[in-house]
């Protein structure tokens, strides 16, 4: 079945450093790859996503890259700030018309940014 | 605020009891998804409804059931509750007009079973 692996499970960085979280997926029919940020006890919030027709997308300090051949995608956060501390989940999904479009989530990365 | 609402925010009950969690999707969204998140765990997909019909099931126990009503709100029913059912329950909604499964999550219901 579908599977998404996410690494690392925890990541500690100093304020101002960059952070990179990596995910690999198994379903080659996946074409949508969102990233969610979840603060303690709160809802997962969609922070950025990438679709299979592009290789990279950037939004201010965050960027995502996608390598469809290798079936992996990554989240890059530059100039990290303490408020970036949270759990980050990657996910993958098939596109419309390909049957059941379930978001398959990775296991999460706990990011801690120290001042 | 994602536009997805869930009630109640907190629920404390005893083992063996039955509870109902409610979710209202964003205006115009036809799909509702339910997820369970146990302490320090990932998001486990339970079930999806699309325009009133069950579309897919994930790791949902037989003691759990859900439905989506004509006004598109959804309810998740949990019965014969066990201690291990204590968790955060999220619903998410999506419209998928773009063809992509963009899901927006509600604030969640924290269920505590004593």
């Amino acid at each position: 079945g579908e599977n998404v692996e996410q690494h690392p499970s925890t990541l500690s960085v100093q304020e101002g450093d960059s952070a990179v979280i990596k995910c690999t997926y198994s379903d080659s029919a996946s074409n949508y790859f969102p990233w969610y940020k979840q603060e303690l006890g709160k809802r997962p919030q969609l922070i950025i996503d990438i679709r299979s027709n592009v290789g990279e997308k950037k939004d201010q300090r965050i960027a995502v890259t996608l390598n469809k051949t290798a079936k992996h995608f990554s989240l890059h956060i530059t100039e990290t700030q303490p408020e970036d501390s949270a759990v980050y989940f990657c996910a993958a999904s098939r596109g419309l018309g390909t049957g059941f479009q379930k978001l398959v989530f990775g296991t999460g990365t706990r990011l801690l940014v120290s001042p | 605020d994602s536009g997805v609402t869930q009630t109640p925010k907190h629920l404390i009950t005893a083992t063996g009891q039955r509870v109902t969690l409610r979710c209202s999707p964003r205006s115009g969204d036809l799909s509702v998804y339910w997820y369970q998140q146990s302490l320090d765990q990932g998001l486990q997909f339970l079930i999806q409804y699309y325009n009133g019909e069950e579309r897919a099931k994930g790791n949902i126990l037989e003691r759990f059931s859900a439905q989506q009503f004509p006004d598109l709100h959804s309810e998740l029913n949990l019965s014969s509750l066990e201690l291990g059912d204590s968790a955060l329950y999220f619903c998410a909604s999506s419209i998928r007009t773009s063809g992509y499964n963009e899901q927006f999550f509600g604030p969640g219901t924290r269920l505590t079973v004593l």
Side-chain angles (χ1 to χ4, degrees):
Chain A
E2 313 99 328
N3 185 48
V4 175
E5 294 188 358
Q6 183 172 349
H7 300 280
S9 57
T10 59
L11 181 58
S12 294
V13 299
Q14 292 292 120
E15 183 176 0
D17 288 349
S18 295
V20 180
I21 303 170
K22 298 182 179 182
C23 291
T24 59
Y25 60 98
S26 60
D27 185 358
S28 57
S30 298
N31 73 346
Y32 176 65
F33 308 91
W35 287 87
Y36 289 84
K37 174 184 179 182
Q38 187 179 28
E39 297 176 0
L40 189 62
K42 297 193 175 180
R43 78 183 82 197
Q45 285 188 292
L46 179 65
I47 56 171
I48 195 167
D49 57 23
I50 190 167
R51 301 169 184 183
S52 59
N53 56 346
V54 298
E56 184 173 356
K57 181 177 178 181
K58 190 173 182 180
D59 183 3
Q60 298 183 336
R61 294 186 299 108
I62 59 174
V64 290
T65 58
L66 171 65
N67 183 328
K68 286 214 73 177
T69 302
K71 291 194 283 188
H72 67 71
F73 56 113
S74 301
L75 176 71
H76 305 252
I77 306 174
T78 59
E79 301 173 23
T80 54
Q81 301 168 2
E83 50 266 39
D84 294 329
S85 297
V87 178
Y88 291 80
F89 291 96
C90 63
S93 174
R94 291 183 172 187
L96 190 68
T98 58
F100 169 47
Q101 291 99 42
K102 177 175 71 173
L103 269 183
V104 181
F105 282 89
T107 49
T109 296
R110 186 176 301 278
L111 174 64
L112 176 62
V113 181
S114 302
Chain B
D1 185 359
S2 67
V4 180
T5 61
Q6 287 186 250
T7 56
K9 289 186 68 174
H10 303 278
L11 200 48
I12 301 174
T13 188
T15 55
Q17 295 299 303
R18 172 190 169 94
V19 297
T20 297
L21 313 183
R22 181 187 171 105
C23 168
S24 292
R26 297 185 313 161
S27 177
D29 284 0
L30 302 178
S31 276
V32 171
Y33 306 78
W34 285 97
Y35 294 88
Q36 179 192 56
Q37 187 176 41
S38 301
L39 188 64
D40 284 342
Q41 297 295 310
L43 292 154
Q44 297 298 318
F45 169 72
L46 296 178
I47 197 165
Q48 178 204 3
Y49 277 82
Y50 178 78
N51 203 20
E53 294 186 1
E54 180 185 304
R55 184 57 68 93
K57 277 186 175 181
N59 300 321
I60 188 166
L61 300 172
E62 286 192 11
R63 300 184 285 109
F64 296 1
S65 65
Q67 54 184 326
Q68 186 179 28
F69 294 87
D71 67 352
L72 300 177
H73 90 271
S74 177
E75 293 181 355
L76 178 67
N77 301 296
L78 315 176
S79 62
S80 303
L81 286 167
E82 302 175 359
L83 296 178
D85 297 328
S86 296
L88 265 170
Y89 291 84
F90 290 102
C91 78
S93 73
S94 72
I95 188 169
R96 294 188 290 140
T97 52
S98 64
Y100 296 94
N101 196 0
E102 299 173 72
Q103 293 188 20
F104 296 90
F105 283 76
T109 293
R110 182 175 295 281
L111 174 66
T112 302
V113 182
L114 302 175

